[in-house]
Amino acid sequence: MRKLLLAALGLGMALAQQISPQGIIVNPVPTDLEVKVWVDKDPAKRGNALYQIGEPIYIYVSVNQDAYVYLFNINADGRIDPILPNAYERENFLRAGETRRYPPAGARYRYTVTGPEGEDKILAVASRRPLSIQEVLDVEGNRVKVQGAEGLARALSIIIEPLPPRDWVTDVARYYVGRVTAPPSTPAQATLVVDSRPTGAEVYLDGRLQGRTPLNLSVNPGRHEVELRLPGYQPYKVTVNPRPGERVQVFAQLVPEPRQGTLSVASTPSGAEVYVDGALRGRTPLSLSLPEGRYTVELRLAGYEPYRATVQVRRGETTRLEVRLNPIPQTGTLFLESNPSGAEVYLEGRLQGRTPLRLTLNEGTYRVELRLPGYEPYQAAVRVERGRETRLSASLRPIRTGELYLEARPEGAEVYIDGRLAGRAPLRVSLEAGLREVRVVAPGYGEYRAMVEVRPGESLRLLVELVPVRGLLELYLNVEARVFLNGEEVGVARGGYLRLEAPFGEHELTLVAPGYRTLVQTIRVTGNQVLRLELRPL
């Protein structure tokens, strides 16, 4: 037999409380939450670790999911020591996969094995949420408030009762104290302690009635089916697998049987889907057996408005719900608004009014356009559903562009705006509002350049007539001669006549004819001209 010494370094404080030899609770519902507790001499949990009195002992615990962990040491003589939480270790929340040792490194206390000799157990309880253990454990005083293993098991069962069954789990580590030889052979029998709330439930072990709760049973080690029955309550079943000499506590919080009533649902037309508290239960006409209570019933049928009601089902009575479903209207409502308001509303190109505007329309998709002077047109496609209102809110954007329409003579002249080629005349282009430089050029014509102001939302029309930059020369000679302009032959005056174009400005005109003196003359072209020249014979 033994006890744990929780000693503040330098203080020598010991904790020990009386409790009966066993204090184990079993979760009958499988859960994916796992907790594992073991001692430093038995990491494989074979249960054969031996500690001599006076030796230090370390307890390890781990969880596979985030959980709050509570540890109790159940001594061979029935005493019980709180391990976690304690006055020095109040933080009992472990992360998934985390393993902790108690005492941890650098702790202000230690655990030392003392008498009496015998088999001790460490009980671990893991929960997904913190437990209210004030009625069981005085953390500040490091003492357990309940007495006896059964008292501990019953108290813990009450504490975990509000939790969902899958939110808690237990584990046990065993070790021996003060034995110099191998542990004696374990007794052949195990003890099963069965209790319930309320008490008086029939206890069936492997299908055979054994008595009523509370009840202690001596059973063979191994797997057993335990069932508790009490009139007016749902049966409680659990499987236990005690080892030789083990004492297993089974505590059942019995659940009252539901008090049944009947719900009868009919509709016109029939065939509507019936949803009870959101779950589809069938189609009308429908009769359901339900536990006593309040329910939300919803009926759905294509082409009809949904129907919803709250009904009260009473034990042994039939609650009737007869509903005439309303057809869904074939039209819907379209509500249009704009910022700023007063915009013209065009539906499929036809003016309907000004915003804000509410329209009743047949179900379908519509093309909507909003127009307001000084603002960009707003276009959208909206879906109107029957029996519903569709809202369209438009924030109109101020117009920041204007339009320039430019015509030029001759046509095809290149148009440059702010130095960039915009196209050829005639040209229509949308521009940011403000001053813009316009340049129009065409071969043989003088360049046109001007600054124009483009105003938001307005169209500016500009007509440009380019001035030719070449003159037309008509030459009349007394002989047929070859004609050169600035040293380059430009034609032959056949029959003494030639028509040609020349750029404005001064040019050197040369006339060459066989048997005649070459004539060289400087001319100035400022427009269309007629020149009459005479070559002299050699």
Side-chain angles (χ1 to χ4, degrees):
M1 303 183 71
R2 55 146 323 265
K3 66 179 178 180
L4 287 178
L5 288 181
L6 174 61
L9 297 180
L11 298 180
M13 181 179 65
L15 304 176
Q17 295 296 327
Q18 294 290 332
I19 194 169
S20 56
Q22 306 292 334
I24 303 172
I25 56 176
V26 179
N27 188 346
V29 178
T31 173
D32 55 0
L33 175 63
E34 294 180 2
V35 63
K36 181 180 178 183
V37 60
W38 67 96
V39 293
D40 56 327
K41 285 190 176 183
D42 188 16
K45 297 195 63 171
R46 294 186 176 88
N48 57 0
L50 177 62
Y51 289 87
Q52 299 295 333
I53 294 176
E55 280 190 274
I57 185 172
Y58 294 93
I59 297 97
Y60 293 81
V61 64
S62 67
V63 290
N64 68 334
Q65 299 178 16
D66 292 357
Y68 294 85
V69 176
Y70 304 85
L71 300 177
F72 300 90
N73 188 86
I74 303 172
N75 298 287
D77 62 353
R79 303 177 206 172
I80 183 167
D81 299 315
I83 299 176
L84 183 69
N86 61 59
Y88 299 98
E89 298 289 342
R90 297 175 184 266
E91 178 54 55
N92 65 329
F93 178 73
L94 276 68
R95 294 290 184 185
E98 181 181 1
T99 299
R100 288 191 192 175
R101 188 192 79 176
Y102 295 99
R108 298 171 55 201
Y109 65 95
R110 64 180 179 271
Y111 287 130
T112 301
V113 177
T114 66
E117 299 177 346
E119 183 188 46
D120 285 20
K121 296 180 181 179
I122 299 175
L123 172 65
V125 180
S127 170
R128 299 187 199 273
R129 63 187 72 176
L131 302 179
S132 299
I133 62 170
Q134 296 83 353
E135 298 300 322
V136 175
L137 176 62
D138 176 8
V139 176
E140 192 67 33
N142 281 307
R143 65 184 185 86
V144 176
K145 297 181 180 181
V146 296
Q147 298 295 324
E150 294 183 15
L152 174 64
R154 184 186 296 272
L156 292 177
S157 298
I158 294 173
I159 290 173
I160 64 176
E161 176 186 336
L163 298 182
R166 298 180 182 276
D167 281 5
W168 65 276
V169 71
T170 62
D171 189 37
V172 176
R174 292 174 169 82
Y175 61 96
Y176 294 91
V177 175
R179 298 188 181 181
V180 295
T181 59
S185 58
T186 57
Q189 293 293 99
T191 301
L192 188 61
V193 180
V194 186
D195 202 353
S196 67
R197 180 185 294 172
T199 59
E202 293 180 337
V203 179
Y204 289 82
L205 181 68
D206 297 327
R208 295 183 178 181
L209 179 62
Q210 303 294 321
R212 294 182 178 272
T213 58
L215 182 66
N216 287 13
L217 295 174
S218 179
V219 299
N220 292 325
R223 181 184 178 91
H224 296 278
E225 299 291 336
V226 179
E227 181 179 0
L228 278 67
R229 303 177 191 173
L230 185 63
Y233 292 84
Q234 297 181 25
Y236 176 90
K237 294 182 179 180
V238 67
T239 300
V240 296
N241 193 10
R243 288 183 278 188
E246 187 175 27
R247 186 183 186 93
V248 176
Q249 175 86 16
V250 175
F251 180 77
Q253 179 64 50
L254 299 180
V255 178
E257 288 183 344
R259 304 173 68 182
Q260 299 290 115
T262 301
L263 174 62
S264 176
V265 185
S267 68
T268 303
S270 61
E273 292 180 337
V274 179
Y275 291 82
V276 178
D277 287 344
L280 178 63
R281 303 300 297 269
R283 293 181 178 271
T284 57
L286 181 66
S287 181
L288 297 171
S289 178
L290 298 172
E292 186 177 39
R294 294 176 65 86
Y295 296 90
T296 299
V297 180
E298 184 176 1
L299 274 62
R300 302 178 193 172
L301 184 62
Y304 291 83
E305 295 179 349
Y307 175 87
R308 182 174 296 149
T310 300
V311 298
Q312 179 74 41
V313 175
R314 293 180 174 84
R315 180 181 182 182
E317 298 182 6
T318 298
T319 301
R320 300 186 183 276
L321 184 62
E322 298 181 356
V323 179
R324 181 174 293 276
L325 299 176
N326 297 321
I328 296 177
Q330 298 301 310
T331 59
T333 302
L334 175 61
F335 179 75
L336 303 110
E337 57 185 349
S338 66
N339 183 21
S341 60
E344 292 180 336
V345 178
Y346 291 83
L347 196 70
E348 298 296 330
R350 295 183 179 180
L351 179 62
Q352 303 293 323
R354 293 182 179 273
T355 58
L357 181 65
R358 179 176 278 104
L359 300 172
T360 299
L361 303 170
N362 290 330
E363 185 177 37
T365 301
Y366 294 88
R367 179 169 50 89
V368 176
E369 183 176 3
L370 305 182
R371 302 177 192 172
L372 186 64
Y375 293 84
E376 296 180 3
Y378 176 91
Q379 295 181 343
V382 295
R383 175 73 182 173
V384 176
E385 297 183 358
R386 56 185 177 178
R388 297 186 179 181
E389 180 174 271
T390 301
R391 299 180 68 92
L392 176 64
S393 297
S395 294
L396 302 181
R397 294 188 297 179
I399 295 177
R400 303 184 185 279
T401 61
E403 185 180 65
L404 172 63
Y405 178 60
L406 186 144
E407 294 181 277
R409 296 177 184 169
E411 290 187 357
E414 292 181 340
V415 181
Y416 291 83
I417 299 176
D418 293 336
R420 294 184 178 181
L421 178 64
R424 295 181 179 273
L427 177 69
R428 190 184 301 272
V429 63
S430 179
L431 300 172
E432 289 285 337
L435 290 176
R436 295 286 178 264
E437 182 191 54
V438 177
R439 188 165 64 93
V440 184
V441 296
Y445 292 85
E447 178 184 283
Y448 173 86
R449 188 188 298 265
M451 296 297 294
V452 298
E453 183 181 4
V454 178
R455 296 180 179 177
E458 296 185 7
S459 180
L460 175 64
R461 188 182 182 91
L462 189 62
L463 176 61
V464 177
E465 189 164 347
L466 298 179
V467 178
V469 293
R470 299 175 70 91
L472 180 62
L473 299 180
E474 290 187 87
L475 300 180
Y476 291 90
L477 309 178
N478 59 335
V479 295
E480 183 176 290
R482 297 168 62 193
V483 180
F484 294 84
L485 194 66
N486 298 326
E488 182 178 350
E489 186 173 359
V490 293
V492 178
R494 301 187 185 280
Y497 175 80
L498 178 63
R499 183 177 180 177
L500 58 89
E501 289 183 353
F504 285 3
E506 289 188 352
H507 301 280
E508 183 182 76
L509 179 65
T510 304
L511 303 176
V512 179
Y516 291 84
R517 291 181 181 179
T518 299
L519 176 63
V520 178
Q521 184 173 332
T522 300
I523 62 174
R524 176 177 291 279
V525 178
T526 59
N528 297 338
Q529 299 180 30
V530 177
L531 298 178
R532 297 181 185 278
L533 302 173
E534 183 176 348
L535 279 71
R536 295 181 181 180
L538 291 173

